[in-house]
Amino acid sequence: MYADTETIRRILTSTGKTWAVVGLSNNEARAAYGVAAVLKRYGKRVVPVHPKAETVHGEQGYATLADIPFEVDVVDVFVNSSLAGPVADEAAEIGAKAVWFQLGVIDEQAYERTRAAGLDMVMDRCPAIEIPRLG
């Protein structure tokens, strides 16, 4: 229901190349680190968003989405569900075209607000799993 094939394909192939990954740090044990590496391998620009604003995978990090000084196409969210809604709202505020909530990140109200704001959204899925399925 929150991840139809058409929307997944559109976000991964045509929405844009710049992905802000919220929750991405240099901690290689975290899922965000590995997923970001996969996105880069598939040609995406991965921008880390984390309070530490670390450089990850060679890309300068930012403390918040609002701090990013260029256009972001997709906001990929690796935070607890209780914190995800405000991130989705901020994605709409900065002009992102899509929001992607990772596996286990679920906020139905945020999904509805994000879709109502005109953004594509996928929830409770992982792009690193979905992108190889595109063929």
Side-chain angles (χ1 to χ4, degrees), residues 69-86:
F70 47 83
E71 189 174 301
V72 169
D73 301 308
V74 182
V75 175
D76 190 2
V77 182
F78 275 95
V79 299
N80 291 329
S81 295
S82 63
L83 304 173

Side-chain angles (χ1 to χ4, degrees), residues 30-100:
R30 303 289 305 214
Y33 190 89
V35 170
V38 170
L39 289 169
K40 281 187 68 81
R41 202 162 50 246
Y42 279 90
K44 307 300 182 190
R45 179 181 186 188
V46 175
V47 181
V49 180
H50 189 279
K52 294 180 182 177
E54 299 174 322
T55 296
V56 183
H57 296 303
E59 188 73 43
Q60 169 65 49
Y62 297 90
T64 69
L65 289 172
D67 292 337
I68 301 172
F70 47 83
E71 189 174 301
V72 169
D73 301 308
V74 182
V75 175
D76 190 2
V77 182
F78 275 95
V79 299
N80 291 329
S81 295
S82 63
L83 304 173
V87 175
D89 296 338
E90 191 177 358
E93 289 170 16
I94 67 162
K97 299 176 186 107
V99 175
W100 191 299

Side-chain angles (χ1 to χ4, degrees), residues 7-8 29 38 44 62 118 120-121:
T7 302
I8 289 169
V38 170
K44 307 300 182 190
Y62 297 90
D120 276 338
M121 184 160 180

